[in-house]
Amino acid sequence: MPKTIVLKLAEIRYTGRSIGNDVCVEIEVFGAMTKFETKLKTGASVKPNLEIGKTVLGEKTLAIPATIRVTERDILFPDTENLKIVFKINPSAPFPQHSVSTIEVRESRGFLTKKGARFEIVIEASVAQGKKGSSLFKDKSIEWWEKWRELKSYSYRGVKGKEDYNRYDPLIRKVVAEWNKEFCDDIFPPDEPLDPNLVKAMIYQEGRVGYYPGTGFNVMQDGNPGDPSIRTLRGELKEYWIDDGKKQQLKYANAKVTTVEESVNWGVRWLYHKAYVNNGRRREWRSWREAVERYGPPRKDYAENVWSIYKKGIKKEKNSSILLWSVSIFFIPFFMLSHQGSAAPIKEAIAYSMNEDLRMQIEDIDVRYGAATPLFFYAIVEWRKDWWESLRVGKKESNGVTLITIDREPDEQSILKAEFLKLKGFERPVLEVYGQTHVGNGALYLYEIGETSARLLLLARGAVDAHVDGAKNPENLERYGYDECGEVFKDGALKSDYRDLNGDGISDLRLSGIADMLCEENRIEGNSSADSRQITVAHRRKERVFLWNPEFRQFVERERI
């Protein structure tokens, strides 16, 4: 079972000849320096019991490098000596475990004398007991938190050199500082505070710091249609967590996303929620890498891309690799790519219907035709495939290409799939489109394709659900035996079936599929997140029926008629 280990300066023993009694011991571990000053005579000892760091111990022996400096402070001739050690922690041995290091310090009077003192430094490793706060981070001010970790500046400025990816740095520092203080002052603080550089990397990945088409103020993409984050944070969807040792419902009445600041604020809070593990009476924490995986869509490349930006400053695109902290390695805009094949005129017509800034950012345009409608086409404009996409519809004619206006385009960030249909009772072709958000939720859209416009016949929210967003709810524990459970469609989306269901001679729609209830099973003692998996605990048949309403010329869900 992984354990949170607390390292402490447990004892200082002073033996040998006296070189003075004004003693300072400094220990550097995990890149942080801890200092302890005391008045101490030879032959005596002191037990500071001072925390110098925290770490997580798994199944293997952990080797921790540290530097110890002992100084007897003197105005004219201070005496000092350094020692580098490696403290090994054995997961199989009982706790607490101790490391005793001996440092010999010789007296100096402008030259080294024969007087030598011996200092024994005892470092203790013990299992964290969940006492209030961490001595390293507890009760730090907001100003301290804002300066705790420097934000890396992104020197890359986009294809045309006009985009500022550092524009929200002060906001990121402020928001992350506030939530770090909130959680690090709690009874059960995280093992490691949230790094604002990780949040900045997520904001770039989510929507290129707001420069992707349609991103707007929602730079962390929280609260999109079908995304439960904001509804859960408001308390409309019940989830529970441990706050200062007490179990209570997660509820912020003011949770909403209407500005960039709100998007960052609630996005960071949701990321903290994804890092949290409900362990009954106390709070435990996943790694931030796991939290990022749970924040984003059910795809490995999301977390991998975020981590690449966060750790290396490298963002991989379809036709490029971008070094954000320096200059771009190379970037090939869409309009520079050679257009080959019969789709070239369509791609050019779509590309040049946009302004230059958008056109410069296109990776590709995927053009598709329908077997029964060879003149009509739909196209998926890919600013980044399966991540930022938009839909275009048109008709190929003898004198060129005509683009058709879409009454209401899909508001998800990408197009999961699309298909032209020839439905009974409809003279015009119908286009079926499944949209999908970054998180993996989405809707079904049906459009009737006319000569100049694509008319929306149906918008069915909830037709796509490929993301297991587990809710921490005691009702799940009673029903399934696990408290963190969530539902997901077996094939990611409900399947559409068009047939006349009420005998009026016009096709209706049945959406159906299997919804799996998946729960988080922690396979190791203590319910820790370090070794867990999702298991299927229940299935249910999911079906929705939409009948054609000739009066409104729309599909209407049967239960609502």
Side-chain angles (χ1 to χ4, degrees), residues 164-183:
D164 179 10
Y165 302 132
N166 307 306
R167 57 179 175 167
Y168 298 132
D169 281 9
L171 174 61
I172 295 170
R173 278 195 297 267
K174 171 178 175 290
V175 169
V176 174
E178 290 172 349
W179 285 116
N180 274 340
K181 178 173 176 55
E182 171 82 13
F183 285 101

Side-chain angles (χ1 to χ4, degrees), residues 205 314 350 357 395 397 407 463 488:
Q205 169 69 18
I314 295 175
I350 293 172
D357 284 342
K395 186 178 182 181
E397 301 180 288
D407 284 350
V488 63

Side-chain angles (χ1 to χ4, degrees), residues 335-394:
F335 72 88
M336 292 174 61
L337 300 175
S338 61
H339 293 250
Q340 298 179 359
S342 61
I346 296 175
K347 291 185 177 185
E348 290 178 357
I350 293 172
Y352 285 94
S353 69
M354 306 176 191
N355 63 46
E356 185 179 3
D357 284 342
L358 290 180
R359 185 166 66 247
M360 289 280 289
Q361 300 168 35
I362 296 173
E363 286 187 346
D364 200 358
I365 300 177
D366 184 11
V367 179
R368 303 288 181 90
Y369 296 91
T373 56
L375 295 181
F376 290 98
F377 64 85
Y378 72 85
I380 300 174
V381 181
E382 301 171 356
W383 283 280
R384 184 180 161 217
K385 185 173 175 58
D386 298 330
W387 190 253
W388 279 108
E389 299 173 331
S390 65
L391 181 70
R392 296 292 187 272
V393 181

Side-chain angles (χ1 to χ4, degrees), residues 175 179 199 202 220 222 230 233 257 261-273 295:
V175 169
W179 285 116
V199 174
M202 293 177 67
M220 287 199 74
D222 40 340
I230 295 300
L233 291 170
V257 179
E261 184 170 3
E262 288 174 344
S263 178
V264 176
N265 183 67
W266 297 116
V268 170
R269 179 60 186 89
W270 190 244
L271 180 63
Y272 251 111
H273 187 61
Y295 183 99

Side-chain angles (χ1 to χ4, degrees), residues 369-439:
Y369 296 91
T373 56
L375 295 181
F376 290 98
F377 64 85
Y378 72 85
I380 300 174
V381 181
E382 301 171 356
W383 283 280
R384 184 180 161 217
K385 185 173 175 58
D386 298 330
W387 190 253
W388 279 108
E389 299 173 331
S390 65
L391 181 70
R392 296 292 187 272
V393 181
K395 186 178 182 181
K396 190 174 181 180
E397 301 180 288
S398 57
N399 60 346
V401 175
T402 300
L403 296 181
I404 294 172
T405 302
I406 302 174
D407 284 350
R408 176 173 178 171
E409 294 183 36
D411 50 26
E412 291 82 3
Q413 293 94 349
S414 64
I415 307 301
L416 178 63
K417 56 184 178 178
E419 181 183 2
F420 278 114
L421 306 171
K422 186 63 177 176
L423 299 183
K424 183 179 180 181
F426 290 83
E427 295 182 2
R428 310 292 307 181
V430 173
L431 179 63
E432 175 191 81
V433 181
Y434 284 84
Q436 182 167 279
T437 66
H438 286 172
V439 180

Side-chain angles (χ1 to χ4, degrees), residues 33-51:
M33 181 71 76
T34 303
K35 180 187 292 187
F36 178 76
E37 300 172 349
T38 185
K39 296 292 184 180
L40 194 63
K41 296 180 179 180
T42 184
S45 65
V46 63
K47 296 182 178 181
N49 198 33
L50 176 64
E51 185 175 317

